[in-house]
Amino acid sequence: GAGVSQSPSNKVTEKGKDVELRCDPISGHTALYWYRQSLGQGLEFLIYFQGNSAPDKSGLPSDRFSAERTGGSVSTLTIQRTQQEDSAVYLCASSLEGVTDTQYFGPGTRLTVL
Amino acid sequence: EDKVVQSPLSLVVHEGDTVTLNCSYEVTNFRSLLWYKQEKKAPTFLFMLTSSGIEKKSGRLSSILDKKELFSILNITATQTGDSAVYLCAVERSGNQFYFGTGTSLTVIP
């Protein structure tokens, strides 16, 4: 079946612009995760959605970052007023019910802020 | 401060060798420890460990957790060139927070 998809695969933007990253989880998966991986860094957890529950936003790097999940399915990660340090690969994953289930990762969005 | 430390940072072995990767952690309200294999951009889930002393095994890979000494090991036996990757350890704490180590880069030489 279809896996987790993300769009765009690559995004180049200018400093100060807003960007929106999209994640389509596997159909039927109630849990959705956003991660970020910067060059030479480990995987950084950003935010986790479980069903319709309000997510814990404390993992987001700054208040320029926000995330939504509409209808318990598609999620968007928005970065406002992008900075060069936001350049990274943004990964989305989904799992069937929660964190005890296998997480299936999407291919990622490579964001470059000039 | 919560942290996850992996060692070694990198490792080069020959095909057929056995390797042991280490992950130690200091995380409050521990819930689980996860191992991932990362090739290119997207990590592949390997194991989730929640209980001490219970080995999880998948083919040539196995892992075990020690919650008293706060570490986990990932073993790979009879390594193959396809095992070359970065292996990530992550610890989940309550409140749906994850902490990742910087990974161990494994290179298997034919």
Side-chain angles (χ1 to χ4, degrees):
Chain A
V4 177
S5 61
Q6 291 185 244
S7 62
S9 55
N10 281 286
K11 176 71 176 178
V12 180
T13 189
E14 293 179 349
K15 178 181 172 181
K17 300 283 190 184
D18 297 352
V19 296
E20 192 172 276
L21 312 180
R22 177 187 168 106
C23 173
D24 282 86
I26 293 173
S27 178
H29 279 195
T30 61
L32 186 147
Y33 314 77
W34 281 101
Y35 299 90
R36 173 170 78 171
Q37 183 156 34
S38 305
L39 190 64
Q41 303 285 326
L43 204 60
E44 179 186 3
F45 168 79
L46 298 177
I47 196 167
Y48 159 56
F49 292 90
Q50 174 55 62
N52 295 319
S53 301
D56 181 337
K57 300 180 180 180
S58 59
L60 294 172
S62 79
D63 58 8
R64 297 183 293 104
F65 286 71
S66 62
E68 290 185 344
R69 189 177 185 194
T70 53
S73 180
V74 171
S75 177
T76 55
L77 178 69
T78 301
I79 310 173
Q80 295 178 309
R81 305 181 302 282
T82 52
Q83 303 294 313
Q84 288 184 331
E85 60 262 29
D86 299 334
S87 297
V89 175
Y90 289 81
L91 291 164
C92 174
S94 71
S95 65
L96 185 60
E97 291 185 350
V99 296
T100 57
D101 297 311
T102 298
Q103 294 183 35
Y104 296 87
F105 282 78
T109 293
R110 179 176 295 280
L111 174 66
T112 303
V113 182
L114 302 177
Chain B
E1 181 182 338
D2 294 331
K3 63 181 179 181
V4 176
V5 178
Q6 291 187 245
S7 63
L9 292 180
S10 64
L11 194 55
V12 180
V13 300
H14 289 94
E15 268 193 320
D17 288 351
T18 293
V19 297
T20 298
L21 310 182
N22 302 288
C23 175
S24 63
Y25 63 91
E26 293 178 23
V27 175
T28 54
N29 301 315
F30 172 94
R31 181 179 283 179
S32 68
L33 184 144
L34 306 99
W35 283 98
Y36 294 91
K37 177 183 181 184
Q38 183 173 19
E39 297 170 284
K40 298 180 182 178
K41 289 190 294 187
T44 303
F45 174 82
L46 297 176
F47 299 109
M48 170 179 275
L49 305 158
T50 56
S51 302
S52 274
I54 299 175
E55 184 183 53
K56 292 213 171 181
K57 197 170 173 64
S58 176
R60 296 177 293 103
L61 276 66
S62 64
S63 184
I64 197 162
L65 174 67
D66 186 327
K67 290 169 72 173
K68 181 179 178 183
E69 300 298 329
L70 307 182
F71 77 91
S72 173
I73 60 172
L74 175 68
N75 278 321
I76 309 174
T77 59
T79 51
Q80 303 172 357
T81 55
D83 295 328
S84 296
V86 173
Y87 289 83
L88 293 170
C89 170
V91 173
E92 181 205 2
R93 57 170 290 185
S94 58
N96 301 329
Q97 293 289 317
F98 293 84
Y99 297 90
F100 281 80
T102 52
T104 292
S105 176
L106 173 66
T107 303
V108 181
I109 301 172

